[in-house]
Amino acid sequence: MNQGRTLTDAEREANSAAAIQAIDTVEPILSYDTANNLQMAIAQYEPFVMAGGWEQVPQETYGVTMGVRRDGVVQLKRRLLSSADMAMVDQVDEAFDGPTDGALRRFQARHGLQVNGQVDEPTWYALNVPAEARLHQLRLNLLRVQAMARALADRYVVVNIPAAFIEVVEGGMVQRRHTAVVGRIDRQTPILKSRIHQINFNPFWNVPVSIIRRDLIKYMNENPNYLTEQKIRILDGNGQEVQPSSINWQTEEAVNYRFRQDPGPLNSMGNVKINFHNPHAVYLHDTPTKGLFGDNARFLSSGCVRVDQVQDFVSWVLRDTSGWASGEVGNVFATGERKDVDVRNPVEIHTTYISAWANRDGVVSFRDDVYEFDMAGKVAFET
C-alpha cells in the first residue's frame, strides 16, 4: 500500500474483521484450555519483561490514523511489534500505513476497545500499560481460572465482569457471546455461582430499596412528575396505590413503600428478567436503552446485568423446556404477554472476574481492572 493514501472502507472493514477474528474463537474464557493458554502466555511474557518490556507511546500519537506522518509513530510501531500485533517489517518509519492500521485494530480488539484504527484516548492509555503490569494480570488470572474450572457443568453461562460480556458454553465450546452492561464501580456486580431457574416475560420491576434511596428520591426532587412519566407506582404494605404527592421527598420516607414499574417499553428490565438464586438480589435482564451496548466502558448498572441480543440468550436457556421451540420467545416479546416460565434443567451461571486470558493461537486479551481486584491481588472470591 502507498503510505500517503487513506484506506478504502473495504480495506478498513477487512482489517477490523481480521482483528476480531483473532479473538473470536470457540474456547471458553473459563476452562482448562484457557488455563493452559495462560501458562503459555506467561512463558512468553516473562523473558520479555526481564529484558525491559516495551517502550511508552508518546502523546504526539493522539488522533493519529491511516495516511498520517507524525512524530511518535515510530514508537507506536515498535510498541505494536513488541506485543506481536504487527508483523516484522524491514524498516520502521513515522508513516502510519496499512499494516500499522491492521496492527492497531488487532490491539484494540484484544483490549476490548472500539476497533477504529485511531489512537484515541482509551487506546493510548492501553498502549502505555507496562508489560510488567500485564504479566501480573496473566499470573493472577491463571490462578482464578484454575480455581474455577475444576467443577464446570457441560452447559453453563459465564458473565465476565471486566470484559462486560457473556459466554454461552456447551460441550466445551462457546456457542455464542453477548455484550453486557454490568455494575458500576460503586454498585458492583457480585461474584457468584448459581443456576438460571426462571424466566419472567414482560415483568414488573420492583425497585430495590437501595435505588429508591440513592436515585428515586433525588429524581423526584428534580422532577416531581418523574414516577408518573416512568410508569412507576407506589404501593403501601397492603398493596394499595399511594400518590407521589402524599410523600415527603425531602426525607427518606419513600423507603417505607414499595415502588413497582409497569411492564412496557419504559420498563427497566425490558422484555425479560432472568432469575437465579443468590443472596444479592441480582439477575440478568433486557433493557430499553440498547445504545449502551455500543460503549467501550459498560459499567453502568446497579449490580444486575443487562444482556444484548437477549431473545437468543433466553431461547438457548429454554431449549429443553417444553413448549419453547425456536421462535416462541420472539412471539411473547412481540405480544407483550406477562408470563413466568420455570426452566427445565436449570443452567449453571458464573459471574466472574477474568481480566486477562489467551486462546490457543497465542492471542492474549486484557481488560481494565475496573473493580481493582487485580491491584489487591485478589484470587479467591466468596460465591
Side-chain angles (χ1 to χ4, degrees):
M1 298 181 183
N2 295 326
Q3 292 179 347
R5 75 173 180 84
T6 300
L7 292 177
T8 66
D9 288 343
E11 288 168 330
R12 292 178 189 274
E13 289 175 5
N15 280 347
S16 292
I20 293 168
Q21 184 178 10
I23 63 169
D24 192 20
T25 67
V26 297
E27 298 158 89
I29 193 171
L30 187 54
S31 69
Y32 277 121
D33 283 344
T34 297
N36 293 333
N37 298 335
L38 279 166
Q39 288 174 326
M40 289 188 287
I42 289 168
Q44 293 172 345
Y45 270 67
E46 283 177 335
F48 184 75
V49 169
M50 289 180 65
W54 47 63
E55 63 185 291
Q56 298 288 288
V57 177
Q59 288 191 354
E60 286 83 358
T61 58
Y62 266 177
V64 71
T65 189
M66 174 64 193
V68 172
R69 299 180 71 94
R70 185 182 299 176
D71 292 342
V73 173
V74 169
Q75 291 95 321
L76 171 64
K77 287 183 172 181
R78 288 203 292 254
R79 170 66 180 82
L80 295 170
L81 286 164
S82 296
S83 53
D85 291 295
M86 190 171 184
M88 295 301 296
V89 294
D90 294 333
Q91 182 180 2
V92 177
D93 57 25
E94 71 273 13
F96 193 114
D97 52 15
T100 310
D101 177 84
L104 185 62
R105 289 173 192 265
R106 179 184 169 98
F107 176 89
Q108 290 172 326
R110 291 194 305 110
H111 292 79
L113 303 169
Q114 296 287 352
V115 181
N116 57 20
Q118 182 180 34
V119 182
D120 51 22
E121 186 173 354
T123 301
W124 184 82
Y125 277 108
L127 285 163
N128 284 303
V129 173
E132 184 177 3
R134 294 308 192 192
L135 177 58
H136 175 66
Q137 280 186 276
L138 291 170
R139 287 170 171 164
L140 275 178
N141 285 281
L142 170 60
L143 297 174
R144 290 171 184 160
V145 171
Q146 286 175 327
M148 290 185 283
R150 293 171 182 165
L152 292 169
D154 180 69
R155 191 166 180 249
Y156 60 96
V157 171
V158 172
V159 179
N160 187 22
I161 295 166
F165 72 58
I166 297 169
E167 287 185 344
V168 169
V169 182
E170 188 167 7
M173 294 190 296
V174 175
Q175 302 298 310
R176 58 184 302 114
R177 291 186 174 93
H178 296 262
T179 304
V181 175
V182 298
R184 65 191 76 168
I185 294 170
D186 61 338
R187 305 187 194 182
Q188 298 179 4
T189 296
I191 310 296
L192 59 85
K193 175 184 176 181
S194 186
R195 287 186 178 272
I196 297 172
H197 67 93
Q198 188 182 62
I199 305 295
N200 304 140
F201 288 102
N202 303 300
F204 290 97
W205 179 44
N206 292 299
V207 184
V209 172
S210 61
I211 293 180
I212 297 171
R213 179 176 286 114
R214 293 179 179 182
D215 298 329
L216 289 192
I217 292 175
K218 179 181 70 173
Y219 297 158
M220 284 299 290
N221 279 299
E222 294 171 351
N223 174 15
N225 294 319
Y226 177 80
L227 294 178
T228 302
E229 293 170 359
Q230 297 297 315
K231 309 296 183 186
I232 297 175
R233 303 177 189 274
I234 309 171
L235 305 175
D236 64 18
N238 297 317
Q240 299 299 309
E241 187 168 357
V242 175
Q243 294 304 309
S245 57
S246 67
I247 292 176
N248 182 355
W249 297 99
Q250 303 302 315
T251 70
E252 290 196 349
E253 178 189 349
V255 301
N256 298 315
Y257 296 90
R258 184 158 61 97
F259 288 68
R260 189 181 72 183
Q261 188 175 36
D262 292 339
L266 295 176
N267 189 284
S268 295
M269 289 183 291
N271 287 308
V272 67
K273 176 188 177 190
I274 301 154
N275 294 317
F276 45 91
H277 297 298
N278 68 90
H280 311 282
V282 296
Y283 42 83
L284 308 185
H285 64 95
D286 186 21
T287 177
T289 54
K290 292 180 171 57
L292 297 177
F293 293 122
D295 291 350
N296 260 342
R298 299 185 299 277
F299 309 99
L300 303 165
S301 82
S302 293
C304 293
V305 179
R306 307 173 200 176
V307 185
D308 194 19
Q309 299 179 345
V310 72
Q311 180 176 321
D312 294 331
F313 180 84
V314 172
S315 295
W316 181 83
V317 169
L318 291 177
R319 186 192 63 191
D320 297 333
T321 303
S322 178
W324 291 93
S326 178
E328 288 303 313
V329 172
N331 291 337
V332 178
F333 277 23
T335 63
E337 180 183 0
R338 175 76 191 88
K339 196 166 190 175
D340 297 330
V341 180
D342 291 331
V343 179
R344 183 185 177 190
N345 301 327
V347 180
E348 191 171 281
I349 181 170
H350 302 260
T351 60
T352 65
Y353 197 89
I354 308 297
S355 62
W357 64 95
N359 63 31
R360 68 187 64 179
D361 296 325
V363 180
V364 186
S365 294
F366 295 100
R367 295 296 185 271
D368 289 343
D369 182 22
V370 288
Y371 293 172
E372 297 186 348
F373 291 166
D374 292 352
M375 184 184 298
K378 197 166 187 177
V379 173
F381 301 93
E382 294 182 7
T383 60

